[in-house]
Amino acid sequence: DSAIVEKNIPPRVEPTPPFRAPWFFGTTIRLIGYDLAANALTRGAAFSFTTYSESIYPPPATVLWRAELVDRIGNVIAKSDRDPFADKYPVQRFPPGAIARDDWTLPVDANAAPGAYDLRLGLYRRENGEPIGVWHASESEAVHKKFLNAAPVARLKIPVAPPGAAELRAATSL
C-alpha cells in the first residue's frame, strides 16, 4: 500500500567564475565570484558583469542587492538595485545551497573623470536601506572580522582619452 521512492539527486556543481570573491553578506548569502569582460571602462557606455552567489540562510528582512561604481573619494557614479536570486524565491524561503547567476549592467556617465573606480556589491534592507554586514571569508574568528557595508569586488579604470588632432599639432618636440 505504500512505497519509498529514492530520487537520484545530481551532485551540486558550484560555478567556477574567472574571479573568485569569497565574501559573506551576513549569514544570508555567500558571493562565490564574478565574471568581468574587461577592467577598462568607456565613458558614456554601459559595462556588464556577472555575479555568482549561494544562499546560506533566509535573510532577517526583505533585502535587495546594490551594485555601485565608486570613485576614489567615495562618490557613487553608477548604481543598480535588484532582488536576490532574481526574485525566484520569497525572501523567507531561500533554499540553502541555491546558486544564482545575476547579470548586471551599469551605465558610465559620459562626464566621468579618468581614473580608478571600485565596483562594490552590497546587500541592503529594503525598508530602510540599512546594509547587511559584509565580511571576507579569510577572516576566521568572528571577533576579528571587519564588517563592511559593501564588498569591494573589483578595481576598474577609465583611461585618459588619447590626444586629439589639434593637441598633436600644438605639441612641440623635445
Side-chain angles (χ1 to χ4, degrees), residues 15 17-19 21 25 29-36 48-54 65-67 82-85 99-105 119-122 153:
F19 302 100
F25 297 83
I29 296 175
R30 174 178 74 105
L31 181 64
I32 298 168
Y34 64 96
D35 187 359
L36 182 65
S48 299
F49 65 99
T50 302
T51 57
Y52 300 89
S53 56
E54 175 187 20
W65 279 123
R66 179 171 299 145
R82 70 171 27 173
D83 291 315
F85 298 99
I99 293 180
R101 173 191 163 138
D102 290 307
D103 295 314
W104 298 82
T105 301
L119 176 60
R120 296 184 186 164
L121 187 65
V153 176

Side-chain angles (χ1 to χ4, degrees), residues 19 34-49 69 77 106-109 112-119 154-162:
F19 302 100
Y34 64 96
D35 187 359
L36 182 65
N39 66 351
L41 305 175
T42 304
R43 289 187 278 185
F47 76 98
S48 299
F49 65 99
L69 192 59
I77 67 158
L106 287 175
V108 178
D109 189 334
Y117 292 85
D118 287 325
L119 176 60
R155 170 78 37 112
L156 308 171
K157 66 179 177 179
I158 296 177
V160 175

Side-chain angles (χ1 to χ4, degrees), residues 7-137:
K7 184 176 180 180
N8 289 332
I9 299 173
R12 187 180 85 118
V13 177
E14 186 173 292
T16 53
F19 302 100
R20 303 293 282 182
W23 290 96
F24 285 85
F25 297 83
T27 58
T28 301
I29 296 175
R30 174 178 74 105
L31 181 64
I32 298 168
Y34 64 96
D35 187 359
L36 182 65
N39 66 351
L41 305 175
T42 304
R43 289 187 278 185
F47 76 98
S48 299
F49 65 99
T50 302
T51 57
Y52 300 89
S53 56
E54 175 187 20
S55 64
I56 299 170
Y57 191 78
T62 305
V63 293
L64 61 90
W65 279 123
R66 179 171 299 145
E68 298 175 328
L69 192 59
V70 182
D71 68 12
R72 63 182 172 81
I73 58 173
N75 297 320
V76 176
I77 67 158
K79 78 176 182 176
S80 178
D81 293 342
R82 70 171 27 173
D83 291 315
F85 298 99
D87 204 21
K88 291 179 184 174
Y89 307 108
V91 74
Q92 295 79 10
R93 293 200 171 106
F94 278 12
I99 293 180
R101 173 191 163 138
D102 290 307
D103 295 314
W104 298 82
T105 301
L106 287 175
V108 178
D109 189 334
N111 297 321
Y117 292 85
D118 287 325
L119 176 60
R120 296 184 186 164
L121 187 65
L123 192 65
Y124 295 83
R125 293 176 187 263
R126 189 178 287 278
E127 71 271 3
N128 61 10
E130 181 183 320
I132 303 292
V134 180
W135 53 278
H136 197 269

